[in-house]
């Protein structure tokens, strides 16, 4: 069982930045793919970004087109934590952001994700 706890959400003006964190309670954290999804009111949960082990000391990162160049995902295996650095935020980034975990690679399909955090609200004012 994997427990995920997000933090770092809040209210920010358009153009601003936020950093989300997700702490995982799992012994083999380095072997898990970690990701972020978001869900705006009235919309489906959508993929934002993921990071997963691709061999050796290399981790592969993946981004939705809507956040490429603005968001950066990273992880600290010593702290069992994954981060999402968000910059140049737009009103359309407003959503509840969920941390996700899967063994191996993180799928873009929300219904196939094994583990979820409780979510953290990000509100971008225009």
């Amino acid at each position: 069982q994997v427990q995920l706890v997000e933090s770092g959400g809040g209210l920010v003006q358009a153009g601003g930045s936020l950093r989300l964190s997700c702490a995982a309670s799992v012994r083999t954290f380095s072997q898990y793919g970690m990701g972020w999804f978001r869900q705006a009111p009235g919309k489906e949960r959508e993929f934002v970004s993921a990071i997963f082990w691709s061999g050796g000391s290399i981790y592969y990162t993946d981004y939705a087109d809507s956040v490429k160049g603005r968001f950066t995902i990273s992880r600290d295996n010593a702290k069992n934590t994954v981060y999402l650095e968000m910059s140049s935020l737009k009103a359309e980034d407003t959503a509840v952001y969920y941390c996700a975990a899967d063994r191996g690679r993180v799928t873009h399909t929300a219904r196939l994700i094994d583990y979820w955090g409780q979510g953290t609200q990000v509100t971008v004012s225009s």
Side-chain angles (χ1 to χ4, degrees):
Q1 190 71 13
V2 178
Q3 292 185 329
L4 305 173
V5 179
E6 301 101 331
S7 60
L11 174 65
V12 64
Q13 288 188 335
S17 300
L18 276 177
R19 186 175 83 158
L20 305 182
S21 300
C22 172
S25 61
V26 61
R27 191 172 56 187
T28 55
F29 176 76
S30 63
Q31 299 175 16
Y32 277 77
M34 301 297 298
W36 292 92
F37 285 70
R38 66 187 182 187
Q39 189 166 18
K43 294 188 176 181
E44 292 187 353
R45 194 170 297 189
E46 65 174 4
F47 172 80
V48 174
S49 183
I51 182 168
F52 47 90
W53 185 56
S54 64
S57 60
I58 305 299
Y59 280 84
Y60 177 78
T61 57
D62 189 15
Y63 297 94
D65 288 343
S66 59
V67 306
K68 278 182 183 175
R70 300 189 298 121
F71 291 11
T72 302
I73 191 169
S74 62
R75 63 192 294 159
D76 186 337
N77 290 339
K79 296 182 178 180
N80 279 22
T81 301
V82 62
Y83 304 97
L84 186 67
E85 298 272 3
M86 306 184 294
S87 62
S88 302
L89 283 162
K90 306 174 183 179
E92 50 264 43
D93 294 318
T94 295
V96 177
Y97 283 71
Y98 294 91
C99 181
D102 259 335
R103 291 178 180 84
R105 190 169 181 144
V106 173
T107 175
H108 287 204
T109 305
R111 62 180 175 83
L112 299 178
I113 294 294
D114 290 334
Y115 304 102
W116 292 103
Q118 82 286 353
T120 185
Q121 177 71 46
V122 171
T123 303
V124 183
S125 63
S126 56

